[in-house]
Amino acid sequence: MTDTQTDIDERVVEAWARVEAGLRRVLPASLRQLTAPATEREIDAVEAALAVPLPPDFRASLRVHNGTDPGPTLPPPDPSPVPLTQLYDTSKIIEMTRMWRDNHHPEPDWDDPQVWAHLVDTEMLSLNGPVRPIVGSPGAVVVGDMNGDVWWLLDCDPAPGGTPGQVVRVDIECASWDVLAPSWTRLLVRYAEDLEQFATDPDTSSLEIDAHHGPASEWGCAASASSGTRPAWLRNVQPRSPHS
């Protein structure tokens, strides 16, 4: 049975309510950064500008909060409610996705699963999940960042085994790509669960929270023990050095 838009909307609203309840317990000052809903016109403008349909649950999320607003000062006066400096509003999504796409320079010698397998094997690249590590990939929509170093993307063109609209965390400097969740709704639920766990027992939560800055951007990263381990979709690929 296919979910109706009402079903999707209800799940997103419930997920955000859990996130907000968790923040009230562990980081109440951060709630001031959650913004008002986006309008349908603003959301439609994103799709028109980027020529890509947004996942229905992300559209629903924008109708709850149109990103976060850290304010004009650096550092912000309040901690972030998410493991980023900012979740973008609709206008910022357009601006930053265009900037991301401007960095796309196809490199056939490097943009190859055989090369990615080699880079993972030699620990020069970390891949956690079905994501293609292509900087500036036109199939991505950028939805937030941490200091311009770590990005969250909606991946509309996933690797084999992935889900269109999956949420990916990219740390360009560390050459790490992590699929955080197969959908935006699942991301919100995962985050809510970790906030609830942090409120109950911080030592067993995957979150690290600073009272002044908010959750650390490392949330959702693959464990260091996975370094050098290929994701399932690359497991049987013959590696090739890009220099050979």
Side-chain angles (χ1 to χ4, degrees):
M1 180 181 296
T2 303
D3 289 333
T4 67
Q5 187 61 53
T6 299
D7 295 330
I8 293 169
D9 290 351
E10 288 177 352
R11 283 198 292 269
V12 169
V13 168
E14 290 170 3
W16 265 118
R18 286 183 65 183
V19 169
E20 292 172 35
L23 290 170
R24 287 190 191 93
R25 296 176 68 186
V26 303
L27 207 61
S30 71
L31 290 165
R32 289 189 284 267
Q33 288 195 27
L34 295 175
T35 60
T39 66
E40 289 294 331
R41 178 176 295 180
E42 289 172 322
I43 300 170
D44 290 342
V46 175
E47 295 188 333
L50 301 180
V52 62
L54 296 173
D57 63 341
F58 188 71
R59 286 185 62 102
S61 181
L62 290 171
R63 289 193 294 267
V64 178
H65 293 298
N66 189 14
T68 63
D69 182 6
T73 64
L74 291 175
D78 299 319
S80 174
V82 293
L84 297 168
T85 303
Q86 183 180 16
L87 273 180
Y88 300 149
D89 64 12
T90 47
S91 61
K92 193 79 169 179
I93 289 172
I94 295 171
E95 174 190 350
M96 300 307 291
T97 300
R98 285 173 169 168
M99 183 181 298
W100 168 265
R101 293 177 180 178
D102 286 344
N103 289 318
H104 185 227
H105 305 290
E107 300 184 69
D109 289 338
W110 289 82
D111 296 340
D112 182 328
Q114 290 184 296
V115 172
W116 300 332
H118 167 79
L119 295 176
V120 172
D121 291 347
T122 56
E123 300 187 16
M124 297 179 66
L125 174 67
S126 174
L127 290 182
N128 175 33
V131 57
R132 297 182 178 92
I134 301 176
V135 175
S137 55
V141 175
V142 185
V143 298
D145 79 90
M146 171 63 81
N147 296 330
D149 299 318
V150 173
W151 306 77
W152 278 12
L153 315 174
L154 300 180
D155 182 5
C156 302
D157 183 26
T163 304
Q166 65 187 11
V167 189
V168 177
R169 177 191 183 276
V170 180
D171 185 332
I172 301 295
E173 184 176 343
C174 294
S176 68
W177 299 67
D178 293 85
V179 177
L180 299 180
S183 68
W184 189 255
T185 305
R186 293 280 294 276
L187 177 89
L188 291 175
V189 171
R190 178 183 180 186
Y191 186 49
E193 291 172 346
D194 281 341
L195 285 168
E196 292 160 1
Q197 186 64 31
F198 187 91
T200 303
D201 185 1
D203 292 336
T204 60
S205 172
S206 63
L207 281 167
E208 294 182 13
I209 296 180
D210 182 287
H212 299 290
H213 303 293
S217 69
E218 288 78 12
W219 178 74
C221 289
S224 58
S226 68
S227 179
T229 301
R230 298 188 203 177
W233 69 281
L234 277 181
R235 196 159 295 153
N236 297 320
V237 172
Q238 181 68 31
R240 176 180 68 82
S241 170
H243 306 294
S244 60

